[in-house]
Amino acid sequence: MKRETIVHLIKDWRVALLLLLVAGSLIGIYLTPPNPANGLEGNLQFGLDLQGGSWLQMEFQSVVVAYSTDKPVGDLIENLQKSLEVDVVQIDQNHLEIRKSVSRADLEPLFAASDAKIVTYHEGVSTFTADEVKRILNDKVNALGMQDARINLLTPTGSEYPQYVRIELAGVDMATAQEIVGKQGMFEIRIQTSGNETEHVLFGDQITSVGVPQRDTRSQAWGVGFTLSDAGADAFRDAALKYGAIDNPNAHNLVMLLDNKTVYSAPLSGDLAAQLRSAPVRSLSASTGTGDAGLEAAMTLEIHLRAGALPVKVDVVGSGSVPAALGEHFKTTVAIAGLFALLTVGVVIYYRYREPSIVIPMLAINFSEIIILLGIARFIQQLDLAAIAGLIAVVGTGIDQLVIITDEVLHEGRVPSPSLYMKRYSRAFGIIAVSAATVMFAMLPLALMDLSTLRGFAIITILGVLIGILVTRPAYGKIIMEILSK
């Protein structure tokens, strides 16, 4: 094409938008932030399949029971809690969540003793509890900077109650994965009384907010600030008064435990002791020391403070890992497969048209579509084998739609007039739009469901269809019109 034609095309908003998105995608992949160590991979997020890592599948130790009774439900809940020594939560008017793995046969006499009857019995937890567990686990892994973690709730067929939670951690070994998410995380604060003896003050559910690690400008020590509820602040002050921590703070350490393991221990500061003498204090700060060690300790303590206790116990029932070397092999194989798919498409359409001025724009548009798709996925979706399959599917469907446009605007191999061209292009675009809508509606349920093996495929496919309809197809229509008119 002549220089004037190229300038005219670039000034068209459809082509300009395409170029802008391609440039923005390349910037997002390689320059924000720059990551030269990854080479051609840039900042793309790869999943467990392509990077190696570990997965854990954990089962909720809980059951959901539908019941019927003529007596107050509060009495039934109280009797169950005393008998089972576990939390029992009323989900709705007819369902209870018993946060312990207990059989129906063991429950029936307990219900009968309270003049109640079990109507239905399901292993698992309520949707609310499952979402709360997912949120807490998500906070844990995100606080460690593991943005490639995926957490999915799994519900057995025929049940409406999630029974398992599956966690995938790319680039993390099995021991670390189990350390991060395989434990329940029962958080407790205790106060030293005398010697090595301590007394309970409060549990993690009394912590309402947690700050980020910050360094004190005077002492240069790192610390984490956190806020207690009113009840927690009262309990903290009562314990400090009762055991003499206000009068002699250096002799009474504040001890924080996770699963009965000490994660922090330090005496009350003099300023805090003076404040507690007159009133409860809700805003506290735990100092962890100076330097890199203090910062690392502060970051770890922040995770424990934020996570608190899971609302229900979980047991690891399945696990697995993909070695990093195998992940690299998969990554290489996928890259070859994608390149082969693009070349095969190029050969097929060249055989059909035998005209480089048509084939080259087709391949360029298809390639730019993949770049834009990767640029968007870099922020919202990690690339696993299913997502890569979606990318390859987008290559095929994209070329199909470009062929529809090209065949429609060409009539018996001749170039139509501009008015006839626009009429035929509009008709071709209408066909493509209906096809794209069908694909999106078909993929939408998979994209919304927590199916780790299919969700990435559906999201990438939907994004590819949207990019094609909104950006690349209109740009191709303008480019091919200019080419054919010459």
Side-chain angles (χ1 to χ4, degrees):
M1 287 189 292
K2 295 181 180 180
R3 182 176 179 275
E4 294 80 4
T5 304
I6 295 176
V7 173
H8 179 68
L9 275 176
I10 294 176
K11 289 183 178 179
D12 185 86
W13 70 269
R14 289 159 289 197
V15 179
L17 177 61
L18 173 66
L19 296 175
L20 183 64
L21 289 178
V22 169
S25 298
L26 292 173
I27 290 172
I29 295 173
Y30 293 108
L31 300 179
T32 55
N35 197 356
N38 284 351
L40 291 176
E41 298 172 9
N43 296 307
L44 295 176
Q45 300 180 34
F46 291 99
L48 183 65
D49 301 330
L50 303 180
Q51 188 175 336
S54 307
W55 63 268
L56 297 173
Q57 184 160 312
M58 299 183 291
E59 183 178 18
F60 296 117
Q61 300 300 296
S62 176
V63 296
V64 177
V65 176
Y67 66 93
S68 62
T69 181
D70 295 329
K71 300 294 180 65
V73 67
D75 295 342
L76 171 62
I77 293 175
E78 184 178 355
N79 293 338
L80 289 173
Q81 288 177 332
K82 288 181 179 179
S83 302
L84 297 172
E85 296 182 347
V86 71
D87 288 339
V88 178
V89 178
Q90 186 172 8
I91 301 173
D92 54 37
Q93 188 174 358
N94 301 312
H95 291 83
L96 295 178
E97 180 182 86
I98 301 172
R99 293 177 172 175
K100 183 178 183 179
S101 182
V102 55
S103 68
R104 180 167 183 165
D106 291 336
L107 283 177
E108 284 179 340
L110 299 179
F111 274 75
S114 300
D115 294 328
K117 182 180 179 181
I118 296 177
V119 179
T120 61
Y121 170 95
H122 294 280
E123 294 182 342
V125 295
S126 65
T127 303
F128 175 81
T129 301
D131 289 340
E132 184 68 8
V133 170
K134 184 176 180 179
R135 181 192 63 79
I136 291 173
L137 292 174
N138 195 59
D139 287 345
K140 275 190 173 184
V141 296
N142 284 344
L144 288 173
M146 297 177 183
Q147 298 179 356
D148 291 346
R150 295 202 299 184
I151 303 173
N152 298 292
L153 301 171
L154 305 178
T155 304
T157 304
S159 175
E160 59 180 299
Y161 303 105
Q163 188 176 352
Y164 303 95
V165 57
R166 178 184 170 95
I167 305 169
E168 298 179 3
L169 296 168
V172 176
D173 61 85
M174 181 59 67
T176 304
Q178 291 180 338
E179 181 69 22
I180 295 169
V181 297
K183 296 182 178 180
Q184 181 169 347
M186 182 66 71
F187 188 82
E188 181 185 13
I189 295 180
R190 301 177 69 88
I191 193 168
Q192 183 181 2
T193 55
S194 61
N196 293 326
E197 297 296 322
T198 60
E199 288 293 332
H200 169 76
V201 179
L202 54 89
F203 286 112
D205 57 358
Q206 297 295 330
I207 298 175
T208 57
S209 64
V210 181
V212 297
Q214 292 184 344
R215 184 163 53 184
D216 186 88
T217 55
R218 292 181 298 174
S219 65
Q220 297 298 304
W222 288 95
V224 181
F226 59 98
T227 304
L228 302 177
S229 65
D230 290 336
D234 290 338
F236 181 69
R237 181 173 185 266
D238 291 343
L241 287 170
K242 180 178 179 180
Y243 299 109
I246 290 179
D247 298 323
N248 188 10
N250 290 328
H252 300 276
N253 280 14
L254 191 66
V255 183
M256 301 181 186
L257 303 99
L258 183 68
D259 291 332
N260 295 320
K261 181 180 178 181
T262 301
V263 296
Y264 177 84
S265 179
L268 274 67
S269 69
D271 292 341
L272 177 59
Q275 293 177 36
L276 288 172
R277 190 180 300 276
S278 57
V281 178
R282 292 189 59 196
S283 297
L284 305 176
S285 180
S287 178
T288 56
T290 59
D292 293 339
L295 173 59
E296 185 176 350
M299 293 174 63
T300 303
L301 181 59
E302 179 197 3
I303 296 169
H304 300 327
L305 288 169
R306 287 185 184 277
L310 294 180
V312 61
K313 188 177 183 296
V314 294
D315 282 350
V316 178
V317 295
S319 62
S321 62
V322 177
L326 185 58
E328 287 295 327
H329 172 72
F330 286 158
K331 196 183 298 182
T332 303
T333 304
V334 162
I336 294 173
L339 183 61
F340 181 75
L342 196 61
L343 291 176
T344 302
V345 165
V347 170
V348 171
I349 60 173
Y350 183 80
Y351 179 78
R352 177 179 179 83
Y353 295 108
R354 308 293 178 90
E355 179 57 58
S357 62
I358 294 178
V359 175
I360 292 175
M362 273 192 178
L363 292 179
I365 287 291
N366 211 231
F367 189 63
S368 66
E369 190 171 328
I370 297 301
I371 292 176
I372 296 172
L373 191 52
L374 289 174
I376 297 175
R378 171 255 188 275
F379 295 99
I380 66 172
Q381 174 68 37
Q382 62 178 213
L383 299 177
D384 53 14
L385 291 178
I388 297 297
L391 283 172
I392 295 175
V394 167
V395 171
T397 57
I399 285 293
D400 285 345
Q401 294 175 358
L402 297 181
V403 168
I404 291 174
I405 293 175
T406 307
D407 284 356
E408 188 68 27
V409 298
L410 287 175
H411 179 63
E412 297 179 354
R414 292 175 295 177
V415 181
S417 63
S419 60
L420 184 57
Y421 174 92
M422 292 307 300
K423 182 178 180 180
R424 290 180 178 175
Y425 172 77
S426 299
R427 184 166 56 190
F429 193 83
I431 296 171
I432 293 171
V434 172
S435 173
T438 303
V439 171
M440 284 192 293
F441 281 118
M443 292 291 109
L444 195 58
L446 296 179
L448 296 177
M449 295 171 65
D450 276 327
L451 297 176
S452 58
T453 55
L454 297 176
R455 195 164 183 260
F457 175 81
I459 291 175
I460 292 296
T461 303
I462 291 174
L463 283 175
V465 168
L466 287 174
I467 292 169
I469 289 295
L470 300 177
V471 181
T472 56
R473 306 297 174 264
Y476 177 75
K478 181 63 179 177
I479 292 171
I480 201 68
M481 179 179 180
E482 291 289 339
I483 290 173
L484 295 178
S485 66
K486 302 300 178 184

